[in-house]
Amino acid sequence: MTGAEQVSRSGKPAVVAHRGASADLPEHTLAAYERALAEGADGLECDVRLTSDHELVCVHDRTVDRTSDGVGAVSEMSLAQLRELDFGSWHPARTQASVLTLRELITLTLDWRRPVRLFIETKHPVRFGSLVEQKLLAMLHEFGVATPPSADHSRAVVISFSSAGVWRVRRHAPMLPTILLGDTARMLGGSAATAVGATGIGPSVETLRTYPDLVDRAAAAGRVTYCWTVDEQPDVQMCADLGVRWVATNRPAKVRDWLVTVD
C-alpha cells in the first residue's frame, strides 16, 4: 500500500459560491453573493483585477464586454468609469448592478452572521504584474486577515493559475492559505505546488474525473483539494467520495441539497 492510499479523510465537501450564486444572478454582483450567503454557502469565490487607478474590482474577464453594458479593458478604466456601467442587465435575471469592489466583498464576508471563507483569485498575465498581489495583501492586512493563526482558521484564501502569483503570496504572507489552480494533472500532481509552497491544489472537475488520484496525492503531501466548477449531482458525489475539501459551484443551494443525500 502506498503512502497516498493510507491517507484517510472524513466529512463532506464545503460549498464555495463561484462568483456568487451565479446561475441565478449576475456573477460578481453584490446580489449574487448575498443570495449565496443566504443559501448557506460555506465560502465565496471571486476574481480580482486592477483598474487604471489601482483599485481591486471583482471582474473575471480582461474586458467588461461580456458582463456589462460597456466595452473596454478593466485595466484601462478607472473605478469611477466602471461605476457608470451596468453589470447586471446582461443576465437573464435582468438585475441592474454596479461593479463590485473587493473591499465591498470582504466587508460583506466578514460582517456576515456566521464565519465564511473568501477565495480570491488573482488573474494573470496582466499589465500590472505583481502589483495585483501587492495590493491584495495590503488590503487583507488592512482588514486583519493576512496573518491568520493557521490555514484552517483563515478567513481568506488566495488562489491563482499563476505559480508566480502563488509564490509571491506565500513569500510575503506565509500563514495565508493558497491554492494553485490548474486544468492538467501534470501541473497539479507534480512539483509545481511544492515549489511554490501552495497549501492546496485546484483541479477542474474535468481534470478530476480523469485523474481522481490527484486528491489522495495532494492529501499525502498535506494539501487540500479545491475543485471547480461543480454544478452536476454526479460530480458532487464524486468529489464527496474522493475527499475533496472544497467544491466551487455556480449553484450553491442545489449542491448543498445534494450533499445532504451523500453518505
Side-chain angles (χ1 to χ4, degrees), residues 22 35 38 40-41 73 78 96-97 110 116 123 147 154 158 163 175-176 205 211 218 257 259:
S22 53
R35 171 76 67 86
S78 68
Q96 288 189 328
L110 296 182
V116 178
K123 309 300 289 186
T147 56
S154 180
V158 179
S163 56
M175 295 305 293
L176 199 65
V205 69
Y211 302 98
D257 288 344
L259 284 170

Side-chain angles (χ1 to χ4, degrees), residues 104-123:
E104 292 167 335
L105 183 55
I106 293 176
T107 299
L108 174 67
T109 303
L110 296 182
D111 287 350
W112 194 246
R113 55 182 175 263
R114 56 182 170 78
V116 178
R117 191 169 295 189
L118 182 58
F119 292 76
I120 306 166
E121 181 181 343
T122 61
K123 309 300 289 186

Side-chain angles (χ1 to χ4, degrees), residues 56-113:
L56 285 164
V57 291
C58 301
V59 180
H60 176 273
D61 299 358
R62 186 183 68 83
T63 72
V64 300
D65 301 23
R66 178 179 64 87
T67 56
S68 83
D69 58 353
V71 295
V74 175
S75 62
E76 296 175 357
M77 306 174 75
S78 68
L79 178 57
Q81 290 174 311
L82 289 172
R83 293 241 189 244
E84 295 177 356
L85 304 179
D86 177 9
F87 278 82
S89 296
W90 64 272
H91 191 274
R94 300 297 182 188
T95 303
Q96 288 189 328
S98 178
V99 67
L100 182 66
T101 65
L102 180 61
R103 180 177 299 277
E104 292 167 335
L105 183 55
I106 293 176
T107 299
L108 174 67
T109 303
L110 296 182
D111 287 350
W112 194 246
R113 55 182 175 263

Side-chain angles (χ1 to χ4, degrees), residues 17-263:
H18 183 250
R19 309 178 199 172
S22 53
D24 299 320
L25 292 168
E27 66 185 59
H28 285 132
T29 59
L30 188 61
Y33 286 110
E34 289 177 335
R35 171 76 67 86
L37 290 170
E39 292 176 347
D42 303 295
L44 305 176
E45 184 269 354
C46 69
D47 305 282
V48 293
R49 291 183 178 274
L50 279 174
T51 64
S52 62
D53 50 349
H54 296 174
E55 296 290 339
L56 285 164
V57 291
C58 301
V59 180
H60 176 273
D61 299 358
R62 186 183 68 83
T63 72
V64 300
D65 301 23
R66 178 179 64 87
T67 56
S68 83
D69 58 353
V71 295
V74 175
S75 62
E76 296 175 357
M77 306 174 75
S78 68
L79 178 57
Q81 290 174 311
L82 289 172
R83 293 241 189 244
E84 295 177 356
L85 304 179
D86 177 9
F87 278 82
S89 296
W90 64 272
H91 191 274
R94 300 297 182 188
T95 303
Q96 288 189 328
S98 178
V99 67
L100 182 66
T101 65
L102 180 61
R103 180 177 299 277
E104 292 167 335
L105 183 55
I106 293 176
T107 299
L108 174 67
T109 303
L110 296 182
D111 287 350
W112 194 246
R113 55 182 175 263
R114 56 182 170 78
V116 178
R117 191 169 295 189
L118 182 58
F119 292 76
I120 306 166
E121 181 181 343
T122 61
K123 309 300 289 186
H124 290 282
V126 289
R127 64 183 295 188
F128 295 115
S130 63
L131 186 61
V132 176
E133 281 81 26
Q134 293 176 32
K135 290 288 186 179
L136 171 57
L137 288 176
M139 185 171 292
L140 294 180
H141 275 291
E142 181 184 337
F143 278 91
V145 296
T147 56
S150 69
D152 288 340
H153 293 88
S154 180
R155 297 296 299 276
V157 182
V158 179
I159 66 179
S160 185
F161 284 92
S162 167
S163 56
V166 170
W167 169 242
R168 283 190 286 267
V169 173
R170 293 296 292 164
R171 185 174 57 185
H172 295 290
M175 295 305 293
L176 199 65
T178 51
I179 291 174
L180 180 63
L181 301 173
D183 52 11
T184 65
R186 180 185 61 81
M187 179 177 185
L188 298 178
S191 60
T194 300
V196 300
T199 58
I201 62 168
S204 68
V205 69
E206 292 84 3
T207 296
L208 199 58
R209 288 193 206 110
T210 306
Y211 302 98
D213 64 312
L214 278 175
V215 181
D216 274 341
R217 292 165 64 186
R223 298 189 183 93
V224 298
T225 301
Y226 166 101
C227 186
W228 51 276
T229 302
V230 186
D231 286 342
E232 303 300 330
Q233 189 168 13
D235 291 326
V236 172
Q237 182 69 57
M238 175 189 70
C239 288
D241 292 342
L242 292 174
V244 169
R245 179 67 182 90
W246 300 91
V247 291
T249 179
N250 300 314
R251 309 166 71 188
K254 280 283 188 185
V255 171
R256 280 182 60 83
D257 288 344
W258 290 332
L259 284 170
V260 171
T261 65
V262 170
D263 295 330

